[in-house]
Each structure stands twice: as C-alpha cells, then as structure tokens.
Amino acid sequence: MMDQRVMQAHLAQIRASYVARTQLIRQIEDTELAQMLWDYQRGNYLTRLRQWHPRLSGFRAFEYTQPRLLHLHDYSDMAEMTEAYLASLNVVNSRDLTLCANEAGKLGFVFNQGFEFPFRYRLAYRHMTLSNGDTWQIPAVADEQKPSGPIVRQGDVYCYQQPAMANAPQPVSVSAEFRGQLPDDVLKLTFTAADIGKTVEKGGYLVTLQAFGQNYYTVVVSAADDKRRNIDQVDLLAEATDRHGEYIADALIERRPSIREQKLEVLLGDLIARGIQGTLDKATAEHELQALDNRMLAEEEGKLYLFRGFFGVIDKAELTLLVYNDDNRGVVRELALPVYNFANVPAAGDATMDERLQALPEMAVTAPIYDDRAELRTTLVELDAAKLEERIETLQLLRATTNAQMIAPAENDAAEKQYPAEVSWFFPPVQSDLFFPRRMRSGLFVLTKLDFYDKDDKLVKDPTLGIDPKLIDYQNDIFGFEVRAGIAALPFMVGRVQYRPEIFLRRPARLKGVLPIAVLLNPLIDRFAPEALPAGITLVGNRLVVDYSVFEPREMADDIDETVERQHVVLVRDNHGYLAEIKQETWYHQDAEHKAVDIYYFYGKPETVEIWYRGKREYVDYKFDIQLLNEDVER
C-alpha cells in the first residue's frame, strides 16, 4: 500500500518544513514582519495538516454504504418518490424516551421519515394541535434545550415539560411546511485511476479528474459555456465503488483546492528569505500575500473543487451532478402530520396482553418505503470458501514511532498505543448479516493460526511466546503480537492482528496463516400470504404482531447462539421489495414463561410475511499470505 507510506512521508515533510521555517523566522530582525510571517506560516501549516492527515483515515477501515440516490430507483420518477417521502412523515408519542427524563417522566415524541430526502429541501415543524383545538409551538433547532413552552427539544427528541394528566387533551397532529426543489437534470459520470487529467463534458459542464488515489479522488467542475447556468446551481454527489461494485462510505470532504496552500508555501519561503536579508518590509509582504489571494480567487471563479476521501480502497469514482434551475419553483406543501400515541398504551402489569394490544394506535397505510439495509439489497447470500478468498479485504496500518500524535487514529486506546502495526480483515455485506454482527464472524479468532517470516522467508519467532503463562499480565504486558476480534465502531471488520515489529528477533516481512470465519450456509425462508398466517401471527393493515406464546418458530439443530435472543428474522415485502419499519417494540407476557410479543409497523401494505432462519453455522478457513509494510517513515 504505497499510498499510505507516501502520505505519511508527506505529513512528516510538512512538519519538518514548518519546524525549519519557524527557526528561520526567528532570524528576521523586523519583529512586526516576523510575527506576521509566523502567523501566515502557522495557519498554512495547520491547513495543510487538515488536508493530509485525514486522508490516512481510509486506511483504518473498510466501510460499505448505499448509493445516495438509492430510493430514487424504488419509484417511477422523482415526483413519485417525493410523494412517498411526504406520506412517510409522522409523529410518534412515547413515554420511554431516555432524553426526556424530567418532571414528565420520559414522555415525549419523535418525528419519523421513511428516508432522507436526497434533493434540496427544507422541512419546518410549526405547531402541535391537541384534541381540544389548542396548539403548542414546536421548538426550532436553534431553541434546543430552551424551556420556552410546554415542549423542549433535546437533540432529535421533543420532550413534554409537564406529566400527562388523566382525561387531558391528546396530541392529534403537527403542522409542517415542506419546500423542496427537484433537479432539472441528473448527470452521471464514472472515472478510474486511468482517467487522471481527463476532462469530460456532460450536459454543458466540464468535469476534470485531477487526482485519484487508493482511497480518495479530486475533481473540478466548471461550465462549458458562459451561457450555461451558474456552477453554484450544481449539487455534486461524489461517491465511489470498489472492484466488486460495492459502494464505499466517505470519510472526509474538502471544497477548496490544495494548490492554494502549496502556492502560499512557496511565497512564504521567498518572503522569509527576503526578510532575513533585510530587503522586505511588512507592507510589501502584505501586498504580495494579498496579490496571491486575488490571483487564486480569479483562478477559482466559476469552478467547483471537490476532494473526497473514503473508508477503503476504491476502484471507480461515481459522480452525479444534480442540475437545478431557479425558475423551477419546486414543491411547496403544507402538511398535517399524524400523531400516533403510544404513550396511552398501558404498561406491563397494568393490563392484560390483549388489553395492551387493543390499545395500540392504528397507523395509516402509506405509500411503500423500502428497507435500505445492505443485507436486504444485496443478492449475495453468504461467502463460501472460494468467495472468501475473493471478497475479504485486507488493510494494513503502520504507525510512526515518533510524532505519533500526527498520524494516530481517533480510537487511541491503550491497546492501539502498544501495537504500532496492524493487519485487519473486512467482510462485505451479505444477507446472513441479518443474524449476527460481522465482528462475531471471527468468534474462533483464538484458534487463528499464523506465523511471521523475515525478508528471506524464514520463520521469525516472537520471544514473548516462551513466557510462563502464570507470569503473564494479559491486561498490561506487551507481546510481539495479539490476535483480536473486530471492533464495534468498525462494523465490517471481522478480525485483526496487532504486532510490534521491534520485539521480534528479526523484523517480520510476511504474515501467513489461517483465520476461521463463521458463515451461515443454506438459510431457510418460510413465506406466508396475509390470509394464511400461522397461529400467533396477525397482520392488520401495516401492523404485524408475532406472539411467541402461540407461534412456535422452527427448531434448528445448529442455531443455538447465546449472544442473540432470536435465531430468526421477521420481514415483510410487497411485489417490489422489503418494506421498511416505522416502529418496532417487544413486549413480554407477565407469566412464568415470559414469552415475547413482537410488534411491527411498516411503510406500505405487506403482501408477504417472511421468516428467515439462520441455517447451519460453519467455520471456513480463510488463508492469507501478506507482505507486511516494513518502513517506519518517521524513524
């Protein structure tokens, strides 16, 4: 992974240049000039660090995502998608909101939306209307945590200031205004590393690929004709896919060209040299710095610069230009969002299960919104031994041993500090991810077999392996290497090896071994029509109830897993796809068996109920042979 070492070396060069420039500035006798140049030099140094340091973040993880316009493809056109989005808006009243722990208990409400609207829009909530006609103002975002009325905003939750009283007026609806603008044109372009420097004209716009690295790219967009609409009217979606066509999550974005800082660095070097010579005064330096700024503004006028970094190795840059026309007034809609009151459902112990179920609110059946989880959008059920070799991604990290604060990852825990080198493995989205977290796939990581080899392919021993186990402090002792499970914060990681090269008798150059990976082979799916549901499962409108005191799931001989309560997943779909949930709750019968009752509400009208069973879990050996990073660029 040459890009990582190059970027680390570049960071070291930036820091060394800054230290050297600081020493030179101290030689300038004109103190006002020296102070001004130091201010510019430090500001430019910090900006360059911000530009380069985050680019290493993509090497900490491989993270997948869904395309930004995913939901657009679920409908015939933008207008139909917009109507589906507006129909999905609702309010859920609840008394179990942790952020609302105040005099009113945990009573409050949340706004639901089926998906994030992908185009320009503004949604403003105004007033809540009660059953007696009274209205309460909805606090604005700027009024968060300000108790200016009966409702206070806490993050994305809205809390009532007073407890609910018996026979008090109930919330009925919330008035809101939606203002959206649909693009007049959607232009798509694809670039690869072979296209660096290439300019493509599309729909009257020129798009140039300036740079393309392992986990980032830079593009510049300008108008092909002065008569075209202003470039500010273009919204640019910058995405990326890997070699298998999977979308990679973005890590960072920059909207100003780095050439500005590079040119400023050159000019500052010249000004510092002239300051030392005594041939430069402060006024002249200010004039030249302003002149550079004016030239850069002129060069950048009418252009859109975009740097995008990603969590992983990218194969293609996928660009979408959303072209808007201000003459298009867009969509303006006054809305009355329904309030569904779950706060009135009796608590467990205050009523029978039947009484509680009867008290559930009925949600209106809306236009369908489809589940956007990658597990339900992929056609890849599971990875067998052959696909493991093809689809598991390997990333390496070699931290510098000096100036670690510049390039250390954000998760700077004690274990990460101990081990400067790491090899990690990442698993792509598959349907079987519905059953357990990916980091659990390396549940047998303690049985991982691995060996380190030197540059001559000779076995290299870890001297700490000979220590008497009774004398080891596993919490604090430092070993040559440790095999670890994945990290919850990195959801696609299945395992990692962390090691300290200098502890080995000779520096490791290769890592060979076998990592057992859990896979779920031959999952089973039971499908039921709404009119032929088994006992214990009821479907009314868009509400599905599964009562496990009556419904008995399949018993799978190999599906016992103490880490999860369910060995199956309940889904619903229509003829297009799997419907997204509006709300889900689990209750329990108040008897000796304490059986669960699952309650689901869905966007759209379910046409099929499916129960997915995990099938048999097996461990497949993933074999690896990795050439290790062997340079410490800071040393």
Side-chain angles (χ1 to χ4, degrees), residues 301-458:
E301 185 177 3
K303 296 180 181 178
L304 188 154
Y305 291 83
L306 186 69
F307 167 92
R308 178 71 86 177
F310 297 88
F311 284 112
V313 181
I314 66 176
D315 181 61
K316 292 183 175 65
E318 304 287 354
L319 299 170
T320 305
L321 279 67
L322 304 177
V323 183
Y324 292 89
N325 182 353
D326 278 343
D327 294 335
N328 181 349
R329 297 185 61 186
V331 179
V332 179
R333 196 73 56 82
E334 295 293 331
L335 304 171
L337 309 183
V339 177
Y340 298 113
N341 201 345
F342 287 81
N344 288 342
V345 177
D350 293 342
T352 66
M353 181 62 72
D354 286 343
E355 290 171 338
R356 297 185 71 202
L357 291 172
Q358 290 173 9
L360 284 169
E362 291 186 9
M363 289 191 176
V365 176
T366 68
I369 302 292
Y370 296 99
D371 200 316
D372 56 14
R373 285 179 291 176
E375 301 94 305
L376 295 176
R377 295 282 182 157
T378 182
T379 58
L380 196 59
V381 177
E382 185 55 280
L383 301 185
D384 57 21
K387 287 181 179 177
L388 279 177
E389 297 289 336
E390 177 187 356
R391 295 301 302 270
I392 282 190
E393 298 288 352
T394 302
L395 293 181
Q396 292 191 60
L397 177 69
L398 181 61
R399 303 179 183 90
T401 56
T402 60
N403 191 34
Q405 69 276 13
M406 285 181 55
I407 61 174
E411 314 99 309
N412 204 13
D413 58 71
E416 304 287 57
K417 292 178 182 177
Q418 293 175 4
Y419 294 94
E422 177 178 302
V423 176
S424 51
W425 294 278
F426 295 83
F427 206 85
V430 295
Q431 291 179 9
S432 64
D433 289 336
L434 289 167
F435 296 102
F436 54 51
R438 296 172 191 87
R439 66 181 183 278
M440 302 299 294
R441 289 185 179 274
S442 59
L444 295 181
F445 68 91
V446 293
L447 301 182
T448 300
K449 303 174 184 178
L450 60 88
D451 289 301
F452 290 87
Y453 296 83
D454 64 13
K455 59 184 178 60
D456 298 319
D457 208 30
K458 295 181 179 179

Side-chain angles (χ1 to χ4, degrees), residues 417-589:
K417 292 178 182 177
Q418 293 175 4
Y419 294 94
E422 177 178 302
V423 176
S424 51
W425 294 278
F426 295 83
F427 206 85
V430 295
Q431 291 179 9
S432 64
D433 289 336
L434 289 167
F435 296 102
F436 54 51
R438 296 172 191 87
R439 66 181 183 278
M440 302 299 294
R441 289 185 179 274
S442 59
L444 295 181
F445 68 91
V446 293
L447 301 182
T448 300
K449 303 174 184 178
L450 60 88
D451 289 301
F452 290 87
Y453 296 83
D454 64 13
K455 59 184 178 60
D456 298 319
D457 208 30
K458 295 181 179 179
L459 187 66
V460 181
K461 291 291 186 180
D462 172 9
T464 63
L465 292 179
I467 299 176
D468 185 343
K470 296 179 181 179
L471 303 177
I472 295 176
D473 180 353
Y474 288 96
Q475 186 68 28
N476 298 307
D477 284 350
I478 298 176
F479 306 98
F481 72 93
E482 287 192 56
V483 182
R484 298 176 179 270
I487 309 171
L490 303 177
F492 293 91
M493 180 188 285
V494 293
R496 54 183 172 151
V497 175
Q498 294 179 310
Y499 64 100
R500 182 172 286 279
E502 65 272 17
I503 285 183
F504 289 81
L505 300 179
R506 297 183 304 280
R507 189 177 183 90
R510 299 192 74 81
L511 177 64
K512 303 178 184 180
V514 175
L515 177 68
I517 299 290
V519 297
L520 300 177
L521 301 177
N522 303 316
L524 298 175
I525 302 177
D526 286 340
R527 296 182 174 88
F528 304 98
E531 64 276 8
L533 294 172
I537 300 181
T538 58
L539 177 64
V540 178
N542 58 0
R543 184 178 70 204
L544 182 75
V545 177
V546 183
D547 186 345
Y548 289 98
S549 70
V550 180
F551 172 68
E552 295 184 3
R554 287 175 180 263
E555 291 186 5
M556 309 297 292
D558 300 298
D559 73 351
I560 298 175
D561 188 340
E562 299 297 332
T563 65
V564 295
E565 181 180 3
R566 297 280 190 276
Q567 308 301 325
H568 60 273
V569 176
V570 177
L571 303 169
V572 303
R573 61 172 299 146
D574 63 11
N575 61 3
H576 179 83
Y578 289 96
L579 300 179
E581 293 178 5
I582 303 175
K583 184 176 176 60
Q584 190 274 328
E585 289 191 359
T586 297
W587 298 348
Y588 293 92
H589 284 278

